Amino acid sequence: MYTCAGGRHNTGGCSSSEGGLVIDMRHMDAIKVDKQQSVVYLQGGCTSHQVDIETFKYGMATTVGVCGYVGVVGFATGGGLGFSLGQYGLGVDNIVSATVVLPNGEVVAASETVNEDLFWGIRGGGGNFGVIAELGMRLHPQRPDLFTFDCFFSPEKLPAVVNAINEWLPTQQPTEMISVMFMTDPATRKQ
């Protein structure tokens, strides 16, 4: 049993293994932008922050995690909800190629035209197909301004917040996104 850890930022525990082998990919963090083809090639240890920094130099971006320390390979192959979801889809929708080390040690390419079944599998089928050494991801034009903010509301405000979101949703633009989290204060949580 093995798992790969890029950003080591997985709340489901996918970047750790109890009793198994963890392959630390963090030093494999090279990034190459092919502006002509609108593709970024990133190694298995790249984080969202690293990819954003490099692709923004070209006025481009791909769908990456909302937290800068998220490993892009795990994020994208697991689905991938990012800030540009409404405009460019999930992270998995933007994968165009992969270089994969298979369990037998063979290094293979995968895309829509090469090893199609493997390409299909790594895009949401789980992590047991091999170690992804590099992903190719589609790039999109990125304007230089991006705004995010957090709002916190007490529990009694929930109905008003949900109503406000529901009123806004019909007018939502593709460049706009909302992410809602529900949290409780451990100090006040009733057992």
Side-chain angles (χ1 to χ4, degrees):
M1 178 76 144
Y2 74 91
T3 189
C4 295
R8 301 187 72 91
H9 186 94
N10 185 288
T11 56
C14 294
S15 61
S16 60
S17 176
E18 189 171 321
L21 174 68
V22 176
I23 302 170
D24 187 347
M25 305 288 286
R26 289 179 290 182
H27 294 290
M28 290 185 64
D29 62 356
I31 301 167
K32 178 184 171 209
V33 173
D34 183 339
K35 189 165 183 177
Q36 295 285 17
Q37 297 297 318
S38 295
V39 174
V40 60
Y41 297 95
L42 54 103
Q43 289 185 333
C46 292
T47 63
S48 294
H49 178 74
Q50 291 169 313
V51 173
D52 277 344
I53 293 296
E54 190 61 29
T55 58
F56 281 17
K57 292 176 186 175
Y58 299 87
M60 309 287 278
T62 191
T63 302
V64 295
V66 296
C67 174
Y69 298 102
V70 170
V72 178
V73 170
F75 158 84
T77 58
L81 298 170
F83 286 126
S84 58
L85 171 68
Q87 197 165 16
Y88 302 125
L90 297 166
V92 71
D93 299 327
N94 288 278
I95 298 173
V96 297
S97 66
T99 301
V100 183
V101 181
L102 300 177
N104 67 2
E106 184 181 1
V107 179
V108 299
S111 69
E112 288 184 352
T113 58
V114 177
N115 291 313
E116 300 91 344
D117 288 345
L118 177 60
F119 188 61
W120 180 87
I122 64 169
R123 291 181 299 140
N128 296 320
F129 299 101
V131 175
I132 298 175
E134 181 182 81
L135 272 186
M137 295 187 70
R138 190 173 298 109
L139 287 171
H140 309 278
Q142 173 64 44
R143 60 186 214 213
D145 55 340
L146 174 69
F147 303 100
T148 67
F149 60 92
D150 296 321
C151 293
F152 297 90
F153 300 96
S154 55
E156 68 273 3
K157 302 282 187 193
L158 182 61
V161 170
V162 170
N163 286 338
I165 292 170
N166 285 334
E167 287 176 19
W168 167 73
L169 282 174
T171 66
Q172 179 185 13
Q173 300 299 306
T175 57
E176 300 172 336
M177 180 199 166
I178 188 167
S179 177
V180 180
M181 289 189 279
F182 296 92
M183 297 180 278
T184 59
D185 180 351
T188 61
R189 190 177 309 144
K190 294 179 183 176
Q191 300 291 327

